[in-house]
Amino acid sequence: MKMLINAADTVVSDALEGLAQAHPGIVRVMRNPDYVVRTDAPLQQQVAIISGGGSGHEPMHIGYVGRGMLTAACPGAIFTSPTPDQILAATYASASRAGVLYIIKNYAGDRMNFEIAMETLLLEGVPVASVIVADDVANPMQDLRRGTGATIIVEKVAGAAAEMGASLEECARVARRAERQSRSIGVALSACTVPALARPSFHLGDNEIEIGIGIHGEAGRQRTTIAPVAQIVDQLCSALVDDLDLRAGDRTLALVNGLGATSPIELYIVFYEVARWCAARHIVLARSLVGNYMTSLDMAGCTITLMRLDDELLQLWDAPVCTPALRWGV
Amino acid sequence: MKMLINAADTVVSDALEGLAQAHPGIVRVMRNPDYVVRTDAPLQQQVAIISGGGSGHEPMHIGYVGRGMLTAACPGAIFTSPTPDQILAATYASASRAGVLYIIKNYAGDRMNFEIAMETLLLEGVPVASVIVADDVANPMQDLRRGTGATIIVEKVAGAAAEMGASLEECARVARRAERQSRSIGVALSACTVPALARPSFHLGDNEIEIGIGIHGEAGRQRTTIAPVAQIVDQLCSALVDDLDLRAGDRTLALVNGLGATSPIELYIVFYEVARWCAARHIVLARSLVGNYMTSLDMAGCTITLMRLDDELLQLWDAPVCTPALRWGV
């Protein structure tokens, strides 16, 4: 394994310091326990939107802290849930009386630790709500679906609502709507390498790809042979559209997300095929995002997320945002 | 070789179509000859800023077309210069009487083809100027220095000047100043794979890295063993600072650029070490950019660019920009 790191045990802390120094006007990085928070937090009368999860998926979540998106993010160790004390520290640094909304990816560890934090807050009388993101259709059992690319959309939508002064109930409502209208699925061309293990999480042959891969190197639903990207996109988009019951005339947002080691030129080719696929079915691509938004260390491959849009979700998506990784309108 | 493509001979055209469909409000993609142009071009009374070069370096240059940066970009085949007719077609679609500035990376093919286009324009009475970008310090002979990361900065600065209504002479002047104040150097952890060749351009051993690599897989100045990133950054930054004669108190812009297959978490670690290195020498990092801004297909590694800033360059850098890959202030 070759990586641009100092040592396996300083990967997360070095990257956090790098983020802090690259974006001093947007985020503040706190250490021990680690969290990233907006420089202007806590914001009076504004609901705090907080997410977190294992590191190794950058820019998720730490790159989405800033005006119009997350108030704070809690980065765990690589592929490891943040601890309850991290979550609480981030919460105390960002929550006002308007309350706090946790955006939680559907992994057992994340759910457990955010729930412990919520119980503490409820005892303290802090208004708190949560939304679970479970958008990955690779697992046929809905309760076991992992949280992946839709998390970015949910964070954007909830953050926009909070910035507009929405109540906690209202922020939770739009976040849940965004989550229910989104589906994702991924394909890996190579496994990722966890720095502390120094070897790939699994092995794919020279011509093999894995459909339905998880963002921690979890097994997918099918191992197959590399094919023209139009064929791969057909398989991925079919799974999404069936599950979401997307129909002709529906407006959608498409996120083509690189997993870390896939080049921008490839991601634009994938997007082209997604656009062609949708156009052939009269599904309207009203908004799009193409790039590395949720990685899996050095995994090669991509995920595709489709969200059904309506006027409310479109307005929240288009609202100004100023974070290290997502920025427009300001 | 595994890549998310349809076929080697459709890589560039598929990616161009993807870019066009992902950013319909910003760019228009024209085909045969291929170029990407602002949707609102030609702009009367505004100098057209045009660049181009081989494909495989996305988002450079096609992702930098838009308000406040390039008026048009000409993408050649993979690692192949754009042809004079491409350059002229882009020019006719974007140039007004205010003239046109070509931003040319210092490669023989690029220089030759842009010069042919310039000769045609001069005969036709179109005001034209050019700036050659030669920022890569890996080659000790200044005339042979390649154009790399500084190109993005030069394009941003020239585009900002044009957007503010500067004359052709003025746009060329600030572009040349930005170029002279910038230096870059790269390190590769793996070679890139040209789709049509379907094999890596060279081979690095399991623990080998190459310092001073070119963005087309050209040989570097030194092959060595992977080391903690602090050591690698020390070697790279020393070369830049010596060549640029950066001194304590100087304000700089630092660009840490991923070459395509390097994860965001690694790029933030590299940036952290750059920031620490500069801080120890009292060099002020006034602005920064961390991400995939000029790739080399699926090469693993990064380039570092440092630019000495003054009030004029800072103002042009901070000016609003709205392109697929760089966006702020709008």
Side-chain angles (χ1 to χ4, degrees):
Chain A
M1 177 204 59
K2 279 184 288 191
M3 294 184 87
L4 289 170
I5 62 174
N6 284 309
D9 60 354
T10 64
V11 165
V12 174
S13 58
D14 289 353
L16 283 175
E17 298 289 357
L19 180 88
Q21 304 219 21
H23 306 282
I26 301 176
V27 299
R28 212 164 50 221
V29 173
M30 310 302 286
R31 305 297 313 281
N32 304 310
D34 297 345
Y35 61 92
V36 178
V37 62
R38 283 172 62 158
T39 50
D40 54 359
L43 297 138
Q44 297 313 315
Q45 272 121 30
Q46 183 169 320
V47 174
I49 310 291
I50 298 180
S51 189
S55 292
H57 305 302
E58 293 66 27
M60 188 172 80
H61 302 272
I62 58 175
Y64 299 124
V65 174
R67 186 176 148 199
M69 209 160 165
L70 295 180
T71 316
C74 316
I78 296 286
F79 294 174
T80 304
S81 301
T83 58
D85 67 307
Q86 267 183 282
I87 299 167
L88 285 170
T91 305
Y92 296 141
S94 33
S96 71
R97 289 185 186 174
V100 52
L101 175 67
Y102 287 153
I103 297 173
I104 309 166
K105 299 199 300 304
N106 191 29
Y107 298 96
D110 288 13
R111 292 187 67 150
M112 185 176 72
N113 290 351
F114 272 102
E115 275 161 26
I116 292 170
M118 286 176 76
E119 284 165 16
T120 305
L121 294 181
L122 287 171
L123 287 174
E124 294 169 354
V126 179
V128 58
S130 68
V131 52
I132 307 290
V133 183
D135 56 313
D136 185 350
V137 303
N139 194 316
M141 294 181 63
Q142 205 145 356
D143 286 355
L144 297 177
R145 285 188 171 175
R146 303 172 289 225
T148 58
T151 316
I152 298 151
I153 299 169
V154 173
E155 292 174 0
K156 171 71 181 78
V157 162
E163 201 73 50
M164 292 172 187
S167 67
L168 176 58
E169 289 66 31
E170 183 67 5
C171 290
R173 182 186 68 78
V174 295
R176 289 188 192 117
R177 288 198 57 227
E179 198 277 333
R180 275 196 302 270
Q181 298 298 333
S182 302
R183 299 291 188 281
S184 301
I185 189 164
V187 57
L189 276 62
S190 76
C192 57
T193 309
V194 175
L197 302 178
R199 56 180 160 71
S201 53
F202 57 89
H203 179 73
L204 284 173
D206 281 351
N207 289 308
E208 278 184 324
I209 63 173
E210 186 142 334
I211 304 281
I213 193 73
I215 57 171
H216 309 95
E218 303 97 327
R221 54 155 77 166
Q222 187 195 353
R223 192 166 290 197
T224 179
T225 305
I226 184 82
V229 73
Q231 275 180 23
I232 298 171
V233 164
D234 177 49
Q235 186 174 354
L236 299 181
C237 282
S238 296
L240 299 179
V241 165
D242 287 354
D243 205 279
L244 191 53
D245 194 23
L246 270 180
R247 298 174 184 203
D250 281 355
R251 289 176 295 171
T252 62
L253 181 160
L255 162 59
V256 170
N257 167 62
L259 285 169
T262 290
S263 64
I265 198 169
E266 290 170 271
L267 297 179
Y268 273 114
I269 294 171
V270 173
F271 181 79
Y272 172 51
E273 293 301 341
V274 171
R276 288 216 303 167
W277 196 94
C278 288
R281 285 150 189 84
H282 305 287
I283 295 166
V284 182
L285 280 196
R287 294 292 182 276
S288 64
L289 209 53
V290 184
N292 287 343
Y293 290 100
M294 173 201 61
T295 58
S296 181
L297 293 168
D298 60 347
M299 186 180 285
C302 71
T303 65
I304 301 174
T305 301
L306 292 178
M307 170 167 76
R308 184 188 285 109
L309 285 167
D310 55 28
D311 290 344
E312 179 180 56
L313 292 173
L314 200 53
Q315 187 199 359
L316 292 165
W317 178 258
D318 285 344
V321 60
C322 182
T323 70
L326 215 61
R327 185 168 170 174
W328 57 69
V330 282
Chain B
M1 176 205 59
K2 279 183 289 190
M3 294 184 87
L4 289 170
I5 62 175
N6 285 308
D9 60 354
T10 63
V11 165
V12 174
S13 59
D14 288 354
L16 283 175
E17 298 289 357
L19 180 89
Q21 304 219 21
H23 306 282
I26 301 176
V27 298
R28 212 165 50 220
V29 172
M30 310 302 287
R31 305 296 314 280
N32 304 311
D34 297 347
Y35 61 92
V36 178
V37 62
R38 282 173 63 158
T39 49
D40 54 0
L43 296 138
Q44 296 312 316
Q45 273 122 32
Q46 184 169 318
V47 175
I49 311 292
I50 298 180
S51 190
S55 293
H57 305 303
E58 292 67 26
M60 188 173 81
H61 303 270
I62 57 174
Y64 300 124
V65 174
R67 186 175 149 199
M69 209 160 165
L70 295 180
T71 317
C74 316
I78 297 286
F79 293 176
T80 303
S81 301
T83 58
D85 67 306
Q86 265 184 282
I87 299 167
L88 285 170
T91 306
Y92 296 140
S94 32
S96 70
R97 290 184 185 175
V100 53
L101 176 67
Y102 287 152
I103 297 172
I104 309 166
K105 300 199 299 304
N106 191 29
Y107 298 96
D110 289 13
R111 292 187 66 150
M112 185 177 71
N113 290 352
F114 272 101
E115 275 161 26
I116 292 170
M118 286 176 76
E119 284 165 16
T120 305
L121 294 180
L122 287 171
L123 288 173
E124 294 170 353
V126 178
V128 58
S130 68
V131 52
I132 307 289
V133 183
D135 56 313
D136 185 351
V137 303
N139 195 315
M141 294 181 63
Q142 205 145 356
D143 287 354
L144 297 177
R145 284 186 172 175
R146 303 172 288 225
T148 57
T151 315
I152 298 152
I153 299 169
V154 173
E155 291 174 359
K156 171 70 181 78
V157 162
E163 200 74 50
M164 292 170 186
S167 67
L168 176 58
E169 291 65 31
E170 183 67 6
C171 290
R173 183 185 68 77
V174 296
R176 290 189 191 115
R177 287 197 59 225
E179 197 278 333
R180 275 198 300 272
Q181 298 298 334
S182 302
R183 299 291 189 281
S184 302
I185 190 165
V187 57
L189 276 61
S190 77
C192 55
T193 309
V194 176
L197 301 178
R199 53 180 163 73
S201 53
F202 57 89
H203 180 74
L204 284 171
D206 281 352
N207 290 308
E208 279 185 324
I209 62 173
E210 185 141 337
I211 305 280
I213 192 73
I215 57 172
H216 309 96
E218 302 97 327
R221 54 156 77 167
Q222 188 196 354
R223 191 167 289 198
T224 178
T225 305
I226 184 81
V229 73
Q231 271 176 247
I232 298 171
V233 164
D234 177 49
Q235 187 174 354
L236 300 181
C237 282
S238 296
L240 299 180
V241 165
D242 286 355
D243 205 277
L244 190 54
D245 194 23
L246 271 180
R247 296 173 185 206
D250 281 355
R251 289 175 296 171
T252 62
L253 180 160
L255 162 60
V256 170
N257 167 62
L259 285 169
T262 290
S263 64
I265 198 169
E266 289 170 272
L267 297 179
Y268 273 113
I269 294 171
V270 173
F271 180 79
Y272 172 51
E273 293 300 340
V274 171
R276 287 215 305 166
W277 195 95
C278 289
R281 285 149 189 86
H282 305 287
I283 294 166
V284 181
L285 280 196
R287 294 293 183 275
S288 64
L289 209 53
V290 184
N292 288 344
Y293 291 100
M294 173 201 61
T295 58
S296 182
L297 293 169
D298 58 348
M299 186 179 284
C302 71
T303 65
I304 301 174
T305 301
L306 293 177
M307 170 167 76
R308 185 189 283 111
L309 285 166
D310 55 28
D311 290 344
E312 179 179 57
L313 293 173
L314 200 53
Q315 189 199 358
L316 293 166
W317 178 257
D318 286 344
V321 61
C322 182
T323 70
L326 216 60
R327 185 167 170 173
W328 57 68
V330 283

